[in-house]
Amino acid sequence: GENVEQHPSTLSVQEGDSAVIKCTYSDSASNYFPWYKQELGKGPQLIIDIRSNVGEKKDQRIAVTLNKTAKHFSLHITETQPEDSAVYFCAASSYSSASKIIFGSGTRLSIRP
Amino acid sequence: KAGVTQTPRYLIKTRGQQVTLSCSPISGHRSVSWYQQTPGQGLQFLFEYFSETQRNKGNFPGRFSGRQFSNSRSEMNVSTLELGDSALYLCASRGSGETQYFGPGTRLLVL
């Protein structure tokens, strides 16, 4: 069935350094790839998304890349700050089932001061 | 615009009871989806409702059901609660695009 694998499960980086989270997906029909950030006691919040017709997208310190051939996509956070500490989820969905998002297992990102 | 709201935020039930959770989507959004989040299984899709009809369903037993009203508000019901149903239940709404917006969730504890 559909599956999204996410690595690493935990990540600790020095404040100011970059963080990279990687995901792979199994369903070739997937064409929408959102990334969510979840802070303690809150629901997931969308931070960036990418569609299959685009290879890269950037929004200030956050960027996402997609390799559709290899079924890989990655989140890059540059110049990390303490408020970036949270759990990050990658996800995938297809046009025919846009609301049925398949989530990765999550990455707990900690920023060391 | 107000975000997705969910009530109640916390709930404690005992095994065998049933529970109803409520979700109010963002104004104008007609699609409402429900997800279960647990430490062991992560975020799993339960079902989606659109215009009062269930449009997609995940792999959960029939004890999990839902409905949507004409104003797009949705309820989720779990009958004959089991210990393993303890989880954070998240509701998400979607407009005409692909982006889903999540509520804060209802944390259910089954004793």
Short mmCIF file of all heavy atoms in Angstrom, two decimals, chain A residues 67-97:
data_model
loop_
_atom_site.label_atom_id
_atom_site.label_comp_id
_atom_site.label_asym_id
_atom_site.label_seq_id
_atom_site.Cartn_x
_atom_site.Cartn_y
_atom_site.Cartn_z
N ASN A 67 12.54 14.83 -6.09
CA ASN A 67 13.06 14.02 -7.18
C ASN A 67 12.01 12.95 -7.48
O ASN A 67 11.94 11.92 -6.81
CB ASN A 67 14.39 13.36 -6.79
CG ASN A 67 15.00 12.55 -7.91
OD1 ASN A 67 14.30 11.99 -8.76
ND2 ASN A 67 16.32 12.48 -7.93
N LYS A 68 11.16 13.23 -8.48
CA LYS A 68 10.04 12.35 -8.76
C LYS A 68 10.48 10.99 -9.29
O LYS A 68 9.85 9.97 -9.04
CB LYS A 68 9.09 13.02 -9.75
CG LYS A 68 7.64 12.79 -9.41
CD LYS A 68 6.73 13.60 -10.24
CE LYS A 68 5.46 12.86 -10.62
NZ LYS A 68 4.80 12.14 -9.54
N THR A 69 11.59 10.98 -10.01
CA THR A 69 12.09 9.73 -10.57
C THR A 69 12.50 8.77 -9.45
O THR A 69 12.18 7.58 -9.47
CB THR A 69 13.29 9.99 -11.49
OG1 THR A 69 12.90 10.89 -12.52
CG2 THR A 69 13.79 8.69 -12.11
N ALA A 70 13.21 9.32 -8.46
CA ALA A 70 13.67 8.50 -7.35
C ALA A 70 12.65 8.42 -6.22
O ALA A 70 12.85 7.68 -5.25
CB ALA A 70 14.99 9.06 -6.81
N LYS A 71 11.57 9.17 -6.33
CA LYS A 71 10.53 9.23 -5.30
C LYS A 71 11.10 9.69 -3.97
O LYS A 71 10.81 9.12 -2.91
CB LYS A 71 9.83 7.88 -5.16
CG LYS A 71 9.06 7.46 -6.39
CD LYS A 71 8.36 6.12 -6.17
CE LYS A 71 7.72 5.63 -7.45
NZ LYS A 71 7.19 4.27 -7.29
N HIS A 72 11.94 10.73 -4.04
CA HIS A 72 12.55 11.31 -2.85
C HIS A 72 12.13 12.77 -2.74
O HIS A 72 12.04 13.47 -3.76
CB HIS A 72 14.08 11.29 -2.95
CG HIS A 72 14.68 9.93 -2.82
ND1 HIS A 72 16.03 9.70 -3.03
CD2 HIS A 72 14.14 8.72 -2.52
CE1 HIS A 72 16.28 8.40 -2.86
NE2 HIS A 72 15.16 7.80 -2.56
N PHE A 73 11.93 13.25 -1.51
CA PHE A 73 11.79 14.69 -1.31
C PHE A 73 12.38 15.05 0.05
O PHE A 73 12.43 14.20 0.95
CB PHE A 73 10.34 15.17 -1.46
CG PHE A 73 9.31 14.53 -0.56
CD1 PHE A 73 8.63 15.29 0.38
CD2 PHE A 73 8.98 13.18 -0.68
CE1 PHE A 73 7.65 14.73 1.18
CE2 PHE A 73 8.01 12.60 0.12
CZ PHE A 73 7.34 13.39 1.06
N SER A 74 12.89 16.26 0.14
CA SER A 74 13.65 16.66 1.32
C SER A 74 13.27 18.06 1.77
O SER A 74 12.89 18.90 0.96
CB SER A 74 15.15 16.65 1.01
OG SER A 74 15.58 15.37 0.61
N LEU A 75 13.42 18.29 3.07
CA LEU A 75 13.20 19.61 3.68
C LEU A 75 14.54 20.13 4.16
O LEU A 75 15.30 19.41 4.81
CB LEU A 75 12.23 19.51 4.85
CG LEU A 75 11.96 20.79 5.63
CD1 LEU A 75 11.08 21.73 4.79
CD2 LEU A 75 11.29 20.50 6.97
N HIS A 76 14.84 21.38 3.81
CA HIS A 76 16.08 22.01 4.23
C HIS A 76 15.73 23.27 5.02
O HIS A 76 15.00 24.13 4.52
CB HIS A 76 16.93 22.41 3.01
CG HIS A 76 17.25 21.26 2.11
ND1 HIS A 76 18.51 20.73 2.00
CD2 HIS A 76 16.46 20.54 1.27
CE1 HIS A 76 18.48 19.72 1.13
NE2 HIS A 76 17.26 19.59 0.66
N ILE A 77 16.26 23.37 6.24
CA ILE A 77 16.07 24.57 7.05
C ILE A 77 17.46 25.17 7.28
O ILE A 77 18.35 24.51 7.82
CB ILE A 77 15.41 24.26 8.41
CG1 ILE A 77 14.10 23.52 8.21
CG2 ILE A 77 15.17 25.57 9.18
CD1 ILE A 77 13.45 23.06 9.50
N THR A 78 17.66 26.39 6.85
CA THR A 78 18.95 27.06 7.03
C THR A 78 18.87 28.03 8.20
O THR A 78 17.78 28.43 8.64
CB THR A 78 19.36 27.82 5.76
OG1 THR A 78 18.35 28.79 5.47
CG2 THR A 78 19.50 26.88 4.57
N GLU A 79 20.07 28.38 8.72
CA GLU A 79 20.17 29.35 9.82
C GLU A 79 19.16 29.04 10.93
O GLU A 79 18.35 29.89 11.32
CB GLU A 79 19.95 30.76 9.29
CG GLU A 79 20.97 31.16 8.22
CD GLU A 79 20.63 32.50 7.57
OE1 GLU A 79 19.76 33.22 8.07
OE2 GLU A 79 21.26 32.79 6.53
N THR A 80 19.21 27.82 11.43
CA THR A 80 18.21 27.36 12.40
C THR A 80 18.18 28.24 13.65
O THR A 80 19.21 28.77 14.09
CB THR A 80 18.46 25.91 12.80
OG1 THR A 80 19.83 25.76 13.23
CG2 THR A 80 18.18 24.96 11.66
N GLN A 81 16.98 28.36 14.20
CA GLN A 81 16.73 29.18 15.38
C GLN A 81 16.02 28.33 16.44
O GLN A 81 15.41 27.30 16.10
CB GLN A 81 15.87 30.38 14.99
CG GLN A 81 16.53 31.26 13.94
CD GLN A 81 15.59 32.31 13.36
OE1 GLN A 81 14.45 32.44 13.78
NE2 GLN A 81 16.08 33.06 12.38
N PRO A 82 16.06 28.72 17.71
CA PRO A 82 15.42 27.92 18.77
C PRO A 82 13.96 27.61 18.48
O PRO A 82 13.48 26.51 18.79
CB PRO A 82 15.58 28.82 20.00
CG PRO A 82 16.81 29.61 19.75
CD PRO A 82 16.79 29.88 18.26
N GLU A 83 13.25 28.55 17.86
CA GLU A 83 11.82 28.33 17.58
C GLU A 83 11.58 27.30 16.48
O GLU A 83 10.42 26.93 16.22
CB GLU A 83 11.14 29.65 17.22
CG GLU A 83 11.79 30.41 16.10
CD GLU A 83 12.76 31.49 16.61
OE1 GLU A 83 13.42 31.24 17.65
OE2 GLU A 83 12.84 32.55 15.97
N ASP A 84 12.64 26.82 15.85
CA ASP A 84 12.50 25.75 14.86
C ASP A 84 12.37 24.38 15.54
O ASP A 84 12.04 23.39 14.88
CB ASP A 84 13.69 25.72 13.90
CG ASP A 84 13.77 26.95 13.02
OD1 ASP A 84 12.70 27.53 12.71
OD2 ASP A 84 14.89 27.36 12.66
N SER A 85 12.63 24.31 16.83
CA SER A 85 12.51 23.05 17.57
C SER A 85 11.06 22.59 17.56
O SER A 85 10.16 23.32 18.00
CB SER A 85 13.00 23.21 19.01
OG SER A 85 14.38 23.46 19.06
N ALA A 86 10.83 21.39 17.04
CA ALA A 86 9.46 20.85 16.91
C ALA A 86 9.57 19.48 16.26
O ALA A 86 10.66 19.01 15.94
CB ALA A 86 8.59 21.76 16.04
N VAL A 87 8.41 18.86 16.01
CA VAL A 87 8.38 17.62 15.23
C VAL A 87 7.92 17.98 13.82
O VAL A 87 6.93 18.69 13.65
CB VAL A 87 7.43 16.58 15.86
CG1 VAL A 87 7.41 15.31 15.00
CG2 VAL A 87 7.88 16.24 17.28
N TYR A 88 8.64 17.50 12.83
CA TYR A 88 8.33 17.78 11.43
C TYR A 88 7.87 16.51 10.74
O TYR A 88 8.46 15.44 10.91
CB TYR A 88 9.58 18.34 10.72
CG TYR A 88 9.95 19.72 11.19
CD1 TYR A 88 10.67 19.89 12.38
CD2 TYR A 88 9.57 20.85 10.48
CE1 TYR A 88 10.99 21.16 12.84
CE2 TYR A 88 9.89 22.13 10.93
CZ TYR A 88 10.61 22.28 12.11
OH TYR A 88 10.92 23.53 12.56
N PHE A 89 6.80 16.65 9.96
CA PHE A 89 6.24 15.52 9.22
C PHE A 89 6.27 15.81 7.73
O PHE A 89 5.82 16.89 7.30
CB PHE A 89 4.79 15.25 9.62
CG PHE A 89 4.62 14.76 11.03
CD1 PHE A 89 4.36 15.65 12.05
CD2 PHE A 89 4.70 13.40 11.31
CE1 PHE A 89 4.19 15.19 13.36
CE2 PHE A 89 4.53 12.94 12.61
CZ PHE A 89 4.28 13.84 13.63
N CYS A 90 6.75 14.86 6.95
CA CYS A 90 6.55 14.94 5.51
C CYS A 90 5.28 14.16 5.18
O CYS A 90 4.82 13.34 6.00
CB CYS A 90 7.74 14.36 4.75
SG CYS A 90 8.06 12.60 5.04
N ALA A 91 4.72 14.40 4.02
CA ALA A 91 3.48 13.72 3.67
C ALA A 91 3.33 13.70 2.15
O ALA A 91 4.00 14.45 1.43
CB ALA A 91 2.28 14.42 4.31
N ALA A 92 2.44 12.84 1.69
CA ALA A 92 2.17 12.73 0.26
C ALA A 92 0.70 12.43 0.04
O ALA A 92 0.08 11.74 0.84
CB ALA A 92 3.04 11.64 -0.36
N SER A 93 0.18 12.95 -1.06
CA SER A 93 -1.19 12.62 -1.45
C SER A 93 -1.29 12.68 -2.96
O SER A 93 -0.41 13.23 -3.64
CB SER A 93 -2.21 13.56 -0.81
OG SER A 93 -2.09 14.85 -1.35
N SER A 94 -2.35 12.11 -3.49
CA SER A 94 -2.55 12.13 -4.94
C SER A 94 -3.78 12.97 -5.27
O SER A 94 -4.61 13.23 -4.40
CB SER A 94 -2.72 10.71 -5.47
OG SER A 94 -3.91 10.14 -4.93
N TYR A 95 -3.87 13.36 -6.53
CA TYR A 95 -4.98 14.22 -6.95
C TYR A 95 -6.33 13.55 -6.69
O TYR A 95 -7.28 14.18 -6.26
CB TYR A 95 -4.84 14.55 -8.43
CG TYR A 95 -5.98 15.41 -8.95
CD1 TYR A 95 -6.03 16.77 -8.69
CD2 TYR A 95 -7.02 14.84 -9.69
CE1 TYR A 95 -7.07 17.55 -9.15
CE2 TYR A 95 -8.06 15.62 -10.16
CZ TYR A 95 -8.08 16.97 -9.89
OH TYR A 95 -9.12 17.73 -10.35
N SER A 96 -6.39 12.23 -6.89
CA SER A 96 -7.67 11.52 -6.74
C SER A 96 -8.08 11.37 -5.28
O SER A 96 -9.25 11.14 -4.98
CB SER A 96 -7.57 10.13 -7.39
OG SER A 96 -6.56 9.37 -6.76
N SER A 97 -7.13 11.50 -4.36
CA SER A 97 -7.43 11.36 -2.93
C SER A 97 -6.73 12.48 -2.18
O SER A 97 -5.91 12.23 -1.28
CB SER A 97 -6.96 10.01 -2.40
OG SER A 97 -7.55 8.96 -3.10
#
